[in-house]
Each structure stands twice: as C-alpha cells, then as structure tokens.
Amino acid sequence: MSFLNEIEPLKQTALAELIAAPDLAALEQTKGAWIGPNGKFTALMKQLGTLSKEEKPAAGKLINAAKQELEAALASRREELELKAALPKEPTDFTLPGRRRALGKLHPLTQVTDDIVRAFRKIGFAVADGPEIEDEYHCFDALNTPADHPARDSQDTFYLNTTDKRLLRTHTSSVQIRVMEKQPPPIRIIVPGRVYRRDNADATHNPTFHQIEGLYVDKNVTVGDLKGTVEFVFRELMGSDVKIRFRPHYFSYTEPSYEIDFTNALVKKMGKDWLEIAGCGMVHPQVFETVGYDPTVWTGWAFGFGIERIAMLRYGINDIRLFYENDVRFLKQF
Ligand code: DAH
C-alpha cells in the first residue's frame, strides 16, 4: 500500500521540476535526477519486483502511466526551451529597416554634414530647413542688406525669370528669417543646405555649394557663447588641436561681425597659419525688429560656413569640382 501511495506525489514533484527547468542544461539534469538510471523514479520502478503477485499488476500499470506522463512533459519542455534558445538574446526592435546589402557609400559632403549636425545636436541644436528658391525679402531685405548691395546684383545672384524677382538663395541666412517669422524665441537651430552664386567654376569655386547656418536667440547671449560653440564643434570635427580666431568683419545682419579663422596641424601642413572658415556675429537689432522680436529683450548670434571648405580641409582635397563630378574613383575613397 505504501508503494502505490508513493507514485503520485513523486510524479507530481518530478513534473513540477521538469516544467520549471530554466534552460536545456537544467532540464537534462532534472531528467537524470528522476528518470535517469540512478533517478528517483527509476528507483521506484526497481522496487516493483519486491511486490506480491496481487499488487504487481495495478502498481505496474500506474507506474508506467506516470513514466509516460513524465516523458511527455520532458519532451514538451525541451521543445519550449529549444525555441527559447534560438531567439535573439537582446530585445529586438522590429521597426528597424531590414538588413540590406550595403550598396555604395555616402558622399563625402554628406558625411561631413552629418558629422557637423551630430556635433551640434550634442549641444541642443535642432535642424531647420528652408526653400532654395527664395524671394529678395528673405535673402536680402529682412537681413538688412541694402538695395544697392553688390550681392543683389545679377552679376552675383541667379534670378529666376519671374515677375516677382524670385532667385536661388545665395546663402542659408534666409532661413534665419523664415524660422524667426514662424516661431517665438528662444531659438537654437542649424541649417545645412545648398546655395547658389554666379561664380565661374574654378578649383575653389562652384556655382552651387553647401553651407551650414547657425542661429541662437535667447536672453543674455554673448560673443563668448558663440566662440565657445564654434570651438567645440570644430574640435569635435577636426580634433582637439584646433584653434579658432575671430577677426572683425562686416555683415549687414550682424553687429559686431567677425570672420572665423581656423588652424590645426592640417592647416600648418598646407603651409598656412590660418584658414578663413566662416562668417558670424551678434544678430543685428534691425533683424530682430523686422521679424517682430523685441531687441531690448532678445539677443543672439548667427554664423554661416561652407561645407565644401571643411571637407576639402579634412580630406586634403584641392579641387572643389571633384565633389560634383561623381567619379567613382574619387567617391570610393571616403
Ligand atoms: N551668409 C554669409 C555668407 O554667405 C555667412 C554668414 C555670415 C552667415 C555672418 C551668418 C552670419 O549667419 O552671421 O558668406
């Protein structure tokens, strides 16, 4: 009688342990402990021979049924754990794009632009965008550029053949105006984009090239913030040996205005002390008036620099036209 009574609780414990096995190795161990040659359940079966003739059939039936149940539980737990082992260990983001064969590479100008954007994102700048076909208001008037300024001349600017004097933007500064028209301060943006000028193509000029504009508007903004920001970004981009120098200059939309010179080992290697890299300054109060910001409350700075110039310096390229020829022998190198 005691033998028959032992089967059921033993089976229940064995089942519970099999189902709880956390992985395949643990499952094999549990299997050995119960139904392996030295297992507890096996030991029970061995006792079958000691039973009387009357007891044997019932006990044999019961014990066989229990063993089958244990084996079925073992098989099903094994299947579950095998499936689990085949799944990725890290959580999977199913919204990621599929794995594709990498075709080609990013253009060197795209790579440089991405790096600049990444550096500015670290310090809280957002990317803004504006149209390449502009009007005179956003490209010149609102930037305080007088009607007789040479930049407005058709010698320098591509005008479209429209009655409203539409043009191809000559700089990304037009986007400063578009952003400030749309939203109240504070503002912290950069604007990478294509610009157009009637330059004849030579080794350092091309009728279209790329700029990055920056605009920061808040209370109590200083030239110190501007310098610190420019220095941070160029060090991210070109290494910690970068030095920056501000030289007084004139832009109609900033006062005071500066040109930014840049130097590092690369510049020295080119046989130069400094390289002019950008224009910048404190946003002119008239520009704030024009977009409806109160210049007695708000202060700000802006800058603009050429992406090609930075890319040429970074990669040691001496002819700007190489960027636009799409010669794979050139593009493959980046
Ligand atoms: N727009 C100028 C250019 O194309 C660059 C520039 C200078 C942008 C000063 C600015 C600035 O935002 O403040 O040469």
Side-chain angles (χ1 to χ4, degrees), residues 170-173 176 197 211 213-214 251 253-254 258 278-281 302-305:
T170 56
H171 52 188
T172 42
S173 304
Q176 287 186 34
R197 287 185 200 173
Q211 289 187 326
E213 193 79 14
F251 297 102
Y253 32 97
T254 43
Y258 308 94
C280 67
F303 65 80
F305 48 76

Side-chain angles (χ1 to χ4, degrees), residues 139 143 170-174 176 195 197 209 211-215 226 249-259 276-284 301-306:
C139 204
L143 288 163
T170 56
H171 52 188
T172 42
S173 304
S174 51
Q176 287 186 34
V195 301
R197 287 185 200 173
F209 59 100
Q211 289 187 326
I212 287 206
E213 193 79 14
L215 175 67
L226 170 58
H249 199 72
Y250 174 79
F251 297 102
S252 56
Y253 32 97
T254 43
E255 179 59 36
S257 304
Y258 308 94
E259 272 189 330
E276 177 195 319
I277 202 99
C280 67
M282 301 303 291
V283 177
H284 198 294
W301 48 249
F303 65 80
F305 48 76

Side-chain angles (χ1 to χ4, degrees), residues 28-84:
E28 287 313 308
Q29 230 171 24
T30 313
K31 176 191 162 189
W34 290 99
I35 49 181
N38 299 315
K40 291 180 215 163
F41 210 81
T42 314
L44 195 67
M45 290 177 80
K46 283 179 190 159
Q47 287 180 36
L48 211 54
T50 67
L51 295 182
S52 71
K53 231 168 148 188
E54 294 76 46
E55 287 174 311
K56 233 185 235 174
K61 212 170 150 192
L62 206 61
I63 213 160
N64 272 326
K67 189 170 182 226
Q68 273 172 21
E69 220 179 307
L70 289 183
E71 272 166 358
L74 173 72
S76 104
R77 184 63 185 153
R78 185 179 282 141
E79 205 174 310
E80 266 174 32
L81 290 174
E82 276 170 355
L83 196 68
K84 195 172 140 196

